[in-house]
Amino acid sequence: MSGYLLGLSTVLLWGLYNVLARFAGFEGANPVVFVCFGFIVASLVLLVVSGPGRMSMQAFRSPVTWLYGVLTLFEHIFTVYLFIYVTSAEGSLLQRFGVILVVIFAWLFFNRRPRAMTVAGTTLIAAGCIMLLGQLDPETMKNAMLFLLAAIFFQVTKTMVIEAHPEVNVFHGLKDRIRVTAIISFVSCMLIFIALACVAAYGHFLHVSVAPLPSAADFLRMDTLILGGAFGVLIEPASIFAYFYAVKHLKSERFMALAALVPLITYGLEVVAHWFTSMPVRTFSTLEWACVAVITLGSAVMQFKYRKRRRAIA
Amino acid sequence: MSDNYFDKVREEFKDEIKNTRTKKDAGIRIEGQVSGVAHNSGTITNNYYKEPAAADVTRKFDDSAVKQGRKPIGMRQLGICVNPSYMTPKEYQNFSKGIWDGVERRKNCQDWQAWDWAEDHLQPKAPNNTAVEQPKSPGEYNEFQEHMLYYIAVFSCLIVILTWLIMAGNFQ
């Protein structure tokens, strides 16, 4: 029971992140600065919680770690950009496209032929996503597609990096895993932060525009930092804790089935956020609700094969 | 070929290497060409834990390292995964061919001065390097290094966050 509670907490925190990211984008915060500052704060919190110990050097000295961290960061940055053009519930639904790409790439590169249930699930997700894209405003759809594809590209590449280098994910102790996660965030954020801060300083002192990269003014906007800080202190560390505990208790397949609820929870949270902020919320039409149902069903169906196989083994 | 093979063997026996070093009292399951249970006390209690026959024959009366002009540097621990640079030519040959998996199963066996098989000349290593160089298992670094990195990360984060906030405050 506690496993399901933890799983739901993780899903809730992911939904909260989606809404906060959308709010940051809506308030004009620069996504790069928001994500970078948020992750630096989250790294600090996670490092303090995990305490010193082993595995830090292992993670730090691995080029795969650096690659993984940078890919994660870019995935988050493009997700926030996506939320500028679509609502967080829509964005969260559209991100399910990534699952289809993961299945295709796993087949192409890792020779893992998808099972019938996986094909059925991905077909449902694809159908739902295409129907949903058809409902978007054509003006915003172009930008939304661009950032969606970028976010998905980094998400899929990240997944493939883990798959090709399983040593990234072999840490057993919870504190070790949290410490390694913190080190990964720290390394990638510092890398991106130093590079972009140098560019911003260059633009500031020589009066040169550095767009579309963040300028010095973007870096020093206090409300961006407050939102990033809220993400780094309240959401990210808690979601990492809850995620690790939930996966441990529920096993990944059950957890992934629960994660199919993220878009629905995000929508609920968005409605709640609308009561307190000026952030607009989109009221779904019947067709859009059908898309939500189809995508959620597709995500759940994809996990069904594992449960069935487990029973067969038992 | 040998490097890949050694990596594979090292991966396979990593627990054993770690346990031999830390001398924890635990039996370790060995899988591969032969299987059995090795105890860290140094006594082998399982008959299955044997040298492969081919390697056993060829490693008898092995004076090939002496012929190279190498000196013995100490005794090998039983059950240890031998680093190829400390092997005799015969052992290295068996190891490269896959006849021997690199695990020492003979009692009272010598280690030899390091030899670089790639360049095929004596390495200028101190002869008092009696301990067999053991590969590090994943995540095993000096505690000082681990702690240093941790505190560098924590203080870097703190400094960046505070500086960033102060600059943003002044910028407003």
Side-chain angles (χ1 to χ4, degrees):
Chain A
M1 189 62 195
S2 62
Y4 281 101
L5 273 176
L6 283 164
L8 278 173
S9 310
T10 314
V11 170
L12 192 73
L13 286 163
W14 286 358
L16 263 176
Y17 165 70
N18 287 341
V19 175
L20 185 72
R22 160 89 171 141
F23 184 67
F26 179 72
E27 287 291 309
N30 187 291
V32 180
V33 179
F34 168 75
V35 170
C36 225
F37 189 74
F39 269 94
I40 290 176
V41 173
S43 304
L44 178 65
V45 174
L46 288 170
L47 280 169
V48 169
V49 168
S50 65
R54 63 200 193 99
M55 299 290 186
S56 314
M57 282 299 284
Q58 164 85 359
F60 184 74
R61 293 190 66 178
S62 163
V64 179
T65 304
W66 290 61
L67 180 65
Y68 175 82
V70 170
L71 291 172
T72 308
L73 208 62
F74 274 107
E75 182 203 341
H76 280 269
I77 288 169
F78 284 109
T79 305
V80 181
Y81 270 116
L82 171 70
F83 289 155
I84 295 175
Y85 297 98
V86 294
T87 61
S88 40
E90 283 169 334
S92 164
L93 281 166
L94 290 174
Q95 277 188 316
R96 293 275 149 188
F97 252 136
V99 178
I100 304 166
L101 281 187
V102 167
V103 171
I104 293 170
F105 283 6
W107 190 6
L108 286 178
F109 297 111
F110 301 114
N111 203 23
R112 276 211 307 261
R113 189 182 285 270
R115 289 159 183 266
M117 283 308 216
T118 313
V119 175
T122 45
T123 312
L124 282 172
I125 293 172
C129 287
I130 291 165
M131 279 159 62
L132 192 66
L133 276 173
Q135 302 302 305
L136 290 180
D137 177 21
E139 276 297 304
T140 56
M141 197 179 102
K142 197 172 65 180
N143 288 328
M145 275 299 286
L146 185 76
F147 290 119
L148 174 69
L149 288 175
I152 286 174
F153 169 76
F154 286 109
Q155 185 193 359
V156 172
T157 318
K158 183 183 84 174
T159 314
M160 286 177 70
V161 165
I162 301 172
E163 179 87 33
H165 300 89
E167 69 270 15
V168 174
N169 217 14
V170 296
F171 314 110
H172 297 301
L174 189 73
K175 282 204 165 182
D176 285 345
R177 295 190 70 164
I178 289 169
R179 191 180 309 109
V180 167
T181 309
I183 290 283
I184 291 173
S185 302
F186 163 72
V187 162
S188 46
C189 286
M190 284 294 173
L191 201 69
I192 305 278
F193 166 70
I194 290 168
L196 292 179
C198 288
V199 173
Y202 170 82
H204 179 69
F205 290 117
L206 297 181
H207 305 289
V208 179
S209 168
V210 290
L213 297 176
S215 63
D218 291 327
F219 264 103
L220 300 175
R221 255 187 80 161
M222 192 53 106
D223 47 359
T224 308
L225 301 187
I226 291 168
L227 288 170
F231 160 63
V233 174
L234 302 173
I235 298 179
E236 181 68 2
S239 78
I240 286 177
F241 259 110
Y243 170 71
F244 284 152
Y245 271 115
V247 170
K248 192 179 167 190
H249 284 92
L250 282 180
K251 306 299 172 203
S252 51
E253 58 268 31
R254 279 186 202 159
F255 176 75
M256 290 312 287
L258 263 183
L261 297 173
V262 171
L264 280 174
I265 289 178
T266 304
Y267 182 75
L269 289 170
E270 209 168 36
V271 171
V272 174
H274 175 65
W275 298 339
F276 301 102
T277 63
S278 53
M279 195 169 65
V281 64
R282 182 167 170 165
T283 313
F284 281 167
S285 64
T286 317
L287 186 64
E288 283 166 332
W289 275 116
C291 298
V292 174
V294 167
I295 294 172
T296 310
L297 183 69
S299 307
V301 162
M302 281 188 73
Q303 309 305 324
F304 184 67
K305 60 167 187 175
Y306 296 108
R307 301 193 68 175
K308 206 175 171 188
R309 197 171 62 180
R310 263 188 156 198
R311 276 180 198 159
I313 291 166
Chain B
M1 179 252 178
S2 60
D3 284 344
N4 289 342
Y5 185 76
F6 182 69
D7 284 342
K8 195 178 152 198
V9 171
R10 188 167 57 179
E11 183 60 29
E12 200 170 304
F13 289 90
K14 64 181 180 192
D15 291 333
E16 183 183 7
I17 293 162
K18 203 165 119 187
N19 276 275
T20 313
R21 188 190 301 155
T22 53
K23 305 231 182 261
K24 281 181 184 165
D25 187 21
I28 306 122
R29 170 72 51 191
I30 296 173
E31 292 168 354
Q33 281 180 306
V34 285
S35 65
V37 177
H39 287 277
N40 294 309
S41 57
T43 44
I44 292 172
T45 56
N46 194 318
N47 286 334
Y48 290 107
Y49 192 52
K50 281 180 183 170
E51 185 97 25
D56 198 26
V57 172
T58 51
R59 288 173 72 207
K60 275 179 185 171
F61 314 112
D62 184 4
D63 59 349
S64 54
V66 181
K67 283 180 185 170
Q68 282 179 305
R70 290 159 71 190
K71 289 174 185 168
I73 54 169
M75 306 301 288
R76 284 179 193 160
Q77 281 177 286
L78 212 56
I80 203 160
C81 191
V82 183
N83 188 316
S85 59
Y86 298 109
M87 291 176 184
T88 68
K90 269 188 183 177
E91 285 171 341
Y92 185 72
Q93 201 179 9
N94 288 333
F95 178 70
S96 309
K97 288 178 182 171
I99 297 170
W100 179 46
D101 57 8
V103 176
E104 186 53 78
R105 297 176 175 85
R106 299 171 303 172
K107 287 178 184 171
N108 305 324
C109 207
Q110 288 283 3
D111 245 334
W112 300 89
Q113 275 180 308
W115 187 273
D116 189 339
W117 300 103
E119 293 191 17
D120 207 26
H121 62 74
L122 267 175
Q123 291 296 290
K125 283 190 179 175
N128 60 357
N129 182 15
T130 48
V132 177
E133 189 184 304
Q134 293 165 8
K136 299 245 181 205
S137 59
E140 201 171 322
Y141 281 89
N142 184 336
E143 195 176 316
F144 173 74
Q145 288 174 317
E146 299 271 18
H147 282 226
M148 195 176 68
L149 176 70
Y150 171 83
Y151 287 112
I152 287 174
V154 168
F155 285 108
S156 306
C157 285
L158 260 178
I159 289 166
V160 168
I161 292 165
L162 290 176
T163 314
W164 201 337
L165 286 172
I166 290 166
M167 284 177 75
N170 290 339
F171 188 76
Q172 305 303 312

